[in-house]
Amino acid sequence: MAQPSPGARRLTVAVVLAPLLAALALWAFAWPAARTAPRDLPLGVAGPASATSALERQLAGRHPGAFEIHRYDDEAAARAAIEDRTVYGAVVVTPEGPEALTASAASPVVAQLLQQAVTEQAAATGARVRTVDVVAAPASDPRGAALTASVLPLVMAGLATGAAVTFLGLGGVRAALALSGASALVGLAAAGIADSWLGVLTGDWWAEAGVLGLSTLAVAAAAAGLSSLVGRAGLGVVGALVMLVGNPFSGAASAPRMLPEPAGAIGQWLPPGAGASLLRSVAFFDGAAAVGPALTLTWWAVLGLGAVLLGDALGPRTASTESPTETREPVAVS
């Protein structure tokens, strides 16, 4: 039986690959969006023990599995927990009625959800709910849309930087310096746009630039590093990972705890999710809860740069172990 020609095989691969990639992209983006809901969302309750116990039971009854309750003695302790990013918000029981403490800078979606849940809870008793935004989102970006929109451009900048270093044939120390320098410039430019011009970031300017640059370097180094070890296919592997998984699983548009498991957890181990969390901490919370995402980005950057150096070191050694092609002089026949 005749085997298909190489052209026919390539055509078959292209026809099959396109719908598979489309299905993967649709699943990665649509599944978390369609299943967005609070899951063990950290929420504080403060006030007298008798009143807070009743409130906890009511919240658990109306919203089963939605909240992870943290108890605090008073409003000051609850506010401190919000500012430390221990909880997304809190409900304070007062003689005048419940008070909802939110943090729209942490997540406008969660802040609105919390306010709605407390309002529904108080409607049964006719009490009025007072809402206080403890850490408010900037007036120029009240819905957090600009911060969410920054995730994809940083990923694209990282992939472009890694691809440029790979296609230019840079290796070793020169590649590491190029990746670091380009990422630092991306961070400076992004901070200039987001903070100085648009005003959607309100933290320390240099810290924000560092976070934006580190987020870019994590992707760029991973792309260039894997390409240095396995060839240019490494660019496609890292690109698919951060674009089709890291971006929709980042939780930047809502919160990691709003995504179905394990999407929220996976997203925080990838550069887009870790970068978004770290940027919120630095821009709005004076660096609170920044250690985890900072370590994640650092590990991606260090491992990627290490792979770049390792690939450069293994290249000459591999070439030296290959036996050269022997050439023999033709023997003249007399």
Side-chain angles (χ1 to χ4, degrees), residues 93-155:
V93 179
T94 69
E96 293 77 19
E99 181 181 57
L101 304 180
T102 62
S104 57
S107 171
V109 174
V110 173
Q112 183 178 5
L113 173 71
L114 175 59
Q115 183 179 1
Q116 181 179 355
V118 177
T119 301
E120 291 176 354
Q121 194 71 32
T125 61
R128 296 183 61 184
V129 178
R130 177 171 172 259
T131 302
V132 179
D133 200 346
V134 177
V135 185
S140 55
D141 187 28
R143 297 180 181 84
L147 189 145
T148 302
S150 69
V151 173
L152 184 58
L154 289 177
V155 170

Side-chain angles (χ1 to χ4, degrees), residues 6 8 13 23 47 74-75 78 100 115 129 140 142 145 161 171 176 189 216 237 268 284 324 326 333:
V13 170
D74 51 29
E75 180 178 345
Q115 183 179 1
V129 178
S140 55
T161 301
T216 304
V237 173
Q268 294 306 296
F284 308 125
E326 296 183 359
V333 180

Side-chain angles (χ1 to χ4, degrees), residues 183-231:
S183 298
L185 291 177
V186 170
L188 294 174
I193 294 172
D195 189 314
S196 303
W197 179 32
L198 298 177
V200 298
L201 301 179
T202 58
D204 180 80
W205 195 94
W206 289 103
E208 292 167 354
V211 171
L212 294 165
L214 181 60
S215 299
T216 304
L217 179 61
V219 177
L226 191 58
S227 298
S228 180
L229 293 177
V230 304

Side-chain angles (χ1 to χ4, degrees), residues 234-285:
L235 290 173
V237 173
V238 174
L241 182 63
V242 296
M243 294 287 286
L244 297 181
V245 180
N247 190 40
F249 287 11
S250 68
S254 55
R257 294 288 188 97
M258 295 285 289
L259 301 182
E261 290 297 338
I266 292 173
Q268 294 306 296
W269 285 102
L270 297 174
S277 296
L278 183 57
L279 187 58
R280 285 190 188 278
S281 292
V282 169
F284 308 125
F285 293 88

Side-chain angles (χ1 to χ4, degrees), residues 3 11 29 53 76 131 212 237 254 291 299 316:
Q3 294 184 349
L11 177 61
F29 281 86
S53 297
T131 302
L212 294 165
V237 173
S254 55
V291 175
W299 273 113

